[in-house]
Amino acid sequence: MSFMIREAITQNVQGDSAVEFRDTVNDAISRGDEHLLPGLGVFLEKWWQNSSASEQEAFTEKLSQAFKN
């Protein structure tokens, strides 16, 4: 993913509230359009960089469980 995509996505959501982020994520998931995946990836990257080791561990455990089904 190029940095231009990261920057564009960051500029588009900068200043959004928690509710707006939830709506954006829910909308992207409900649409199921693959072109929205880079945006979700940027969200995950930002979250990961700002999360504690225990939050990352909990996330990866949950993700591992989700892909076992």
Side-chain angles (χ1 to χ4, degrees), residues 5-57:
I5 292 172
R6 283 185 181 100
E7 290 171 13
I9 290 165
T10 299
Q11 288 177 358
N12 284 338
V13 298
Q14 202 151 22
D16 281 6
S17 69
V19 170
E20 290 169 314
F21 274 107
R22 180 181 294 271
D23 290 346
T24 299
V25 170
N26 283 332
D27 183 55
I29 292 170
S30 70
R31 286 185 194 202
D33 292 335
E34 289 191 12
H35 76 278
L36 298 173
L37 292 176
L40 295 176
V42 171
F43 286 7
L44 174 60
E45 180 181 52
K46 291 287 188 185
W47 177 86
W48 189 267
Q49 292 170 342
N50 290 285
S51 296
S52 67
S54 63
E55 289 172 318
Q56 292 172 353
E57 179 66 26

